[in-house]
Amino acid sequence: MAKLIHTMIRVRELERSLKFYEAVLDMKESHRLDFPEFTLVYLRADGCHFENELTLNKGREDEYTHGTGYGHVAVVVPDANSKRAQVDALGYAPTAVKEFKRGEELLARFFFVQDPDGSANVGCILHLQSGTTVPVQHWVEMVDQALA
């Protein structure tokens, strides 16, 4: 059985990105691998084994582009409104909190915030209702609507 262990996001300014992921997603550096041409920094939230790998290609000045192939990192928080206010106070310009419903049933409250490189890697902060299972296509549609 395959086990998901990390995602990878390319960054241009490592310290700025470290500050963002700690402030917004409560992820701290777990370890770092430094090579002559690049640095890999692995971030992890307390109590979680899944990591977010930040890759810094040394000497790169051009911005990364993703076209329409953007994605998101999803985390669960106790209160989307409070977390959004915190992220906004840090100056990261999150979108408004939106509600995701199936008919009248509230499935989640969420918002998006772009990573500090301004790339299409969008952090998605969720407040899922207990016991919710949502088909992937519904999330894709909600991401498209939120970013429009």
Side-chain angles (χ1 to χ4, degrees):
M1 177 164 129
K3 179 181 179 181
L4 190 61
I5 59 170
H6 75 259
T7 59
M8 185 278 281
I9 297 174
R10 296 186 189 280
V11 301
R12 291 180 46 224
E13 294 181 34
L14 186 57
E15 293 307 315
R16 179 179 68 172
S17 294
L18 288 169
K19 180 180 174 185
F20 171 82
Y21 285 99
E22 182 170 356
V24 174
L25 300 179
D26 299 320
M27 299 183 93
K28 296 179 179 76
E29 183 174 333
S30 65
H31 60 285
R32 181 183 295 227
L33 301 173
D34 195 29
F35 298 92
E37 295 181 5
F38 61 94
T39 298
L40 306 176
V41 178
Y42 295 87
L43 308 176
R44 183 182 299 172
D46 288 340
C48 182
H49 297 291
F50 184 81
E51 294 178 315
N52 193 11
E53 172 194 306
L54 302 182
T55 298
L56 173 70
N57 290 306
K58 297 176 181 176
R60 181 177 178 97
E61 294 181 19
D62 295 334
E63 291 186 15
Y64 291 103
T65 61
H66 296 283
T68 59
Y70 57 83
H72 65 268
V73 175
V75 299
V76 176
V77 297
D79 181 340
N81 290 314
S82 295
K83 187 65 174 179
R84 189 219 172 269
Q86 175 195 6
V87 171
D88 190 42
L90 292 169
Y92 291 116
T95 64
V97 173
K98 297 185 182 261
E99 290 188 344
F100 183 46
K101 293 183 175 184
R102 181 178 10 207
E104 293 301 312
E105 179 189 7
L106 178 64
L107 301 176
R109 289 184 183 87
F110 67 96
F111 66 90
F112 295 96
V113 59
Q114 285 193 333
D115 73 5
D117 282 304
S119 70
N121 291 319
V122 177
C124 174
I125 313 298
L126 306 173
H127 173 204
L128 294 176
Q129 301 303 308
S130 178
T132 299
T133 56
V134 182
V136 171
Q137 185 57 37
H138 290 285
W139 285 116
V140 170
E141 292 167 5
M142 293 302 291
V143 169
D144 287 342
Q145 290 173 12
L147 295 176

